[in-house]
Amino acid sequence: MLNKVEICGVDTSKLPMLSGKEMMELLLQVKAGDEAARERFLHCNLRLVLSVVQRFAGRGEHADDLFQVGCIGLIKALENFDLKHEVKFSTYAVPMIIGEIRRHLRDYTAMRVSRSLRDTAYKAMQAKNKLMENSCREPTIDEIAKELDMPREDIVFALDAICEPVSLYEPIFHDDGDAVFVIDQLKDGRVSEALWLNNLALKEGIAHLNEREQKILRLRYFLGKTQMEVSREIGISQAQVSRLEKGALKHLEKYV
């Protein structure tokens, strides 16, 4: 898809580009109701759609379909764009195009989401677009929840439910060497770096103890036995076990 030149009958290699001055002049004509200017403006901004479509490569969707959906987003962006915002049209249009394509992908995803969750998510997306138009920035979840008068948790749950799943083996970076996949960026909370280092230090520290001290600590802290049970197994008194255990722990403090 990334190397495709013709999409929906449009030769993307020949798409024209407008200067900032030409863009503003056309926008003024469009807002004045000039249909010819509108068609030319949309045609000259198809590169925006193409750049967004390339972001969704590898999603199993045909490039032509995504390009058409992106064009709908471009048209909506032009219809809703207000010159008073004093921002570039591309800055305003790209999020609109992305949102339109994401909605399309959500509607045709293999995962089924309840209608109520989908409705809540769509309302949240509409509120998000409205807030973006008013503030020219990405609104927070709290702001969206306030706009809809809904609990924050409901908004988060609905938006999470319609997110497209990503394969753990989807490449996120690739250079001349091996690719980096999503799974490479995930952290296993059960085996953290700190835990690994602590275990290594503990192993080194125990190695400095004598055989009986090592056995007492193994029985007490790795097998969970009481001092009385350890005393019976080793054949010494519980008081001796307590004294040897404290001494062993004190020695460990030097190494751990």
Side-chain angles (χ1 to χ4, degrees), residues 18-58:
L18 296 176
S19 65
K21 183 179 179 181
E22 291 173 325
M23 182 83 72
M24 182 57 66
E25 290 174 352
L26 266 182
L27 270 172
L28 291 172
Q29 294 172 27
V30 171
K31 293 303 180 181
D34 189 329
E35 285 297 320
R38 181 176 182 274
E39 291 300 320
R40 181 165 181 256
F41 185 87
L42 290 172
H43 183 69
C44 291
N45 280 279
L46 289 178
R47 288 181 182 274
L48 290 179
V49 179
L50 182 63
S51 67
V52 172
V53 167
Q54 291 175 336
R55 300 185 188 186
F56 293 89

Side-chain angles (χ1 to χ4, degrees), residues 221-233:
Y221 295 100
F222 291 88
L223 299 181
K225 293 183 178 293
T226 65
Q227 287 184 349
M228 189 61 69
E229 289 172 327
V230 174
S231 70
R232 286 197 293 266
E233 185 164 334

Side-chain angles (χ1 to χ4, degrees), residues 38-149:
R38 181 176 182 274
E39 291 300 320
R40 181 165 181 256
F41 185 87
L42 290 172
H43 183 69
C44 291
N45 280 279
L46 289 178
R47 288 181 182 274
L48 290 179
V49 179
L50 182 63
S51 67
V52 172
V53 167
Q54 291 175 336
R55 300 185 188 186
F56 293 89
R59 301 295 182 95
E61 289 286 329
H62 199 281
D64 287 32
D65 294 337
L66 294 182
F67 189 77
Q68 291 182 50
V69 175
C71 287
I72 295 174
L74 177 64
I75 293 171
K76 289 183 177 180
L78 179 57
E79 291 175 348
N80 293 289
F81 185 68
D82 192 339
L83 293 172
K84 296 178 182 178
H85 289 161
E86 297 183 354
V87 295
K88 289 184 177 180
F89 175 76
S90 59
T91 303
Y92 178 82
V94 168
M96 295 279 284
I97 298 169
I98 292 174
E100 197 68 31
I101 292 177
R102 282 178 174 168
R103 279 190 289 273
H104 168 78
L105 293 174
R106 284 196 298 266
D107 287 340
Y108 291 94
T109 182
M111 294 181 63
R112 297 303 174 203
V113 180
S114 70
R115 184 58 183 269
S116 60
L117 272 179
R118 191 179 294 275
D119 288 345
T120 300
Y122 284 165
K123 289 177 182 177
M125 295 299 291
Q126 290 172 351
K128 177 182 176 181
N129 291 335
K130 179 182 176 182
L131 291 169
M132 283 180 64
E133 290 177 17
N134 294 333
S135 63
C136 296
R137 64 172 177 81
E138 187 88 6
T140 64
I141 293 295
D142 289 327
E143 289 172 336
I144 295 174
K146 184 178 180 180
E147 177 72 18
L148 296 176
D149 193 23

